[in-house]
Amino acid sequence: MRIGLIFGEVGTGLRRNVSMVTSVVLVTFISLTFVGTAILLQMQIGQMKNYWYDKAQVAVYLCTATDSGETCGNGDVTQDQIDAVQAQLDGPTLSPFIDKYYFENHDQAYENFQSQFKGNPVTDYVTPDLLPQTFWVNLKDPTQSAVLVESLSGFAGVESVTDQRSYLEQIFTVLNAASYTAIAVAAIMLIAAVLLIATTIRLSAFSRRRELGIMRLVGASNRFIQTPFIIEGVIASLIGSALAGLAIWAIVKFFVQGWLLNQLPFTSFVSTGDALLVAPILIVVGAVLAALSAKFAITRYLKV
């Protein structure tokens, strides 16, 4: 097979269909950028789970004067009830599961509240006695929080026992929804890219129908005729895939690492190394889809 002649035909096809090739590049670029974003988002979710689940605490909220539950019949928790909860935490039943814990009184809770909601008008209406005193517990294994919840939920003076991982699950659910949305959009865009590649190849073949007729008359094989068209589709797709990989790297470099990391310094984020792992996946996906769609399009055209 004459390589020079094949690539000469590829160059001719690319020159004759510049606008369509540009469209293929753009659609491939956009669709694979969504694919890469979805992959990175799943990697980010995994990193955040590993990072935050280990730091998630169990909050043992004690009764305030405004609570009226069964365990809060006497209003604000008494010192004896606080001592009883602490004794339970230090006892042989729970202490093997606990890494460490600390107690937060009304004044400390109020100070933290003022810091977290600084500038919010709600701080003008909240007083220390409205905020519950709390035992913040770090477990050796955060997945065993049910032991703590079951042991302390019925204690006198305990208003509620909350595993902070439940709040994290809500955040991760939103992030997963965003990831699935990106995947859905990417799938639609990839379908559009496949159809556009197929259309481009058919138009390229139609514009060279005289040359193709001559090739078939002189006995050129189908493989020889099809190869330039497949290469055209792959080249256009590779350009779009490379641009998508570059875009993914730029997003991580300048947005995630350059800005987001400074805003949330205590969170683990994906790195440019992760982006460089995703980029080859995008290039392979783009090349395979382009080759298959181009092969299908030119085979159908030659059979007509």
Side-chain angles (χ1 to χ4, degrees):
M1 186 178 294
R2 297 178 59 184
I3 302 299
L5 180 58
I6 290 176
F7 279 95
E9 290 294 320
V10 170
T12 300
L14 294 175
R15 286 193 302 270
R16 289 183 179 180
N17 298 281
V18 174
S19 60
M20 292 296 290
V21 169
T22 302
S23 299
V24 172
V25 170
L26 292 176
V27 173
T28 305
F29 162 63
I30 295 172
S31 59
L32 290 180
T33 298
F34 274 105
V35 172
T37 301
I39 295 173
L40 284 177
L41 193 51
Q42 285 298 315
M43 295 172 68
Q44 179 62 53
I45 292 171
Q47 286 195 19
M48 290 181 70
K49 281 184 176 181
N50 292 335
Y51 183 84
W52 285 111
Y53 275 0
D54 290 340
K55 294 174 174 56
Q57 296 173 307
V58 176
V60 183
Y61 295 109
L62 305 180
C63 299
T64 65
T66 59
D67 292 324
S68 58
E70 293 182 3
T71 57
C72 300
N74 297 323
D76 201 8
V77 64
T78 65
Q79 186 59 49
D80 288 341
Q81 290 172 336
I82 294 175
D83 293 341
V85 173
Q86 185 168 2
Q88 182 72 0
L89 292 174
D90 292 330
T93 302
L94 294 182
S95 59
F97 299 95
I98 296 174
D99 181 28
K100 60 182 178 179
Y101 71 87
Y102 65 91
F103 178 70
E104 182 181 70
N105 60 31
H106 285 304
D107 292 332
Q108 292 169 331
Y110 181 72
E111 183 180 347
N112 290 333
F113 180 84
Q114 291 287 332
S115 175
Q116 291 176 4
F117 294 92
K118 184 178 181 180
N120 193 316
V122 73
T123 57
D124 298 331
Y125 305 99
V126 175
T127 56
D129 60 290
L130 295 177
L131 298 173
Q133 300 182 89
T134 308
F135 283 99
W136 294 98
V137 184
N138 290 81
L139 298 176
K140 294 178 180 178
D141 183 359
T143 62
Q144 296 179 327
S145 60
V147 176
L148 200 66
V149 174
E150 293 175 4
S151 298
L152 295 175
S153 291
F155 252 63
V158 175
E159 193 276 326
S160 65
V161 183
T162 303
D163 184 359
Q164 288 187 322
R165 292 196 310 161
S166 61
Y167 301 125
L168 296 175
E169 284 295 345
Q170 297 175 18
I171 297 173
F172 293 139
T173 298
V174 173
L175 292 175
N176 273 318
S179 177
Y180 296 146
T181 301
I183 292 173
V185 173
I188 295 172
M189 295 298 294
L190 284 174
I191 292 172
V194 168
L195 295 175
L196 192 56
I197 291 171
T199 302
T200 301
I201 297 303
R202 290 175 68 87
L203 287 175
S204 180
F206 181 78
S207 67
R208 284 181 278 173
R209 58 191 181 278
R210 180 175 299 178
E211 292 93 326
L212 294 181
I214 295 173
M215 288 181 183
R216 299 174 83 171
L217 287 174
V218 299
S221 66
N222 283 337
R223 182 182 177 185
F224 180 85
I225 296 173
Q226 293 171 1
T227 300
F229 296 99
I230 296 174
I231 294 176
E232 288 176 29
V234 171
I235 288 175
S237 181
L238 284 177
I239 295 173
S241 303
L243 291 175
L246 182 61
I248 291 298
W249 178 87
I251 290 171
V252 174
K253 174 68 175 179
F254 299 107
F255 175 69
V256 176
Q257 295 291 323
W259 181 79
L260 199 56
L261 185 60
N262 294 327
Q263 302 300 314
L264 300 170
F266 301 108
T267 302
S268 175
F269 288 104
V270 291
S271 65
T272 52
D274 296 318
L276 293 176
L277 290 176
V278 173
I281 297 175
L282 302 182
I283 292 174
V284 171
V285 170
V288 170
L289 286 177
L292 293 177
S293 58
K295 172 71 173 177
F296 175 77
I298 190 60
T299 301
R300 289 289 302 274
Y301 180 83
L302 293 177
K303 288 181 179 179
V304 175

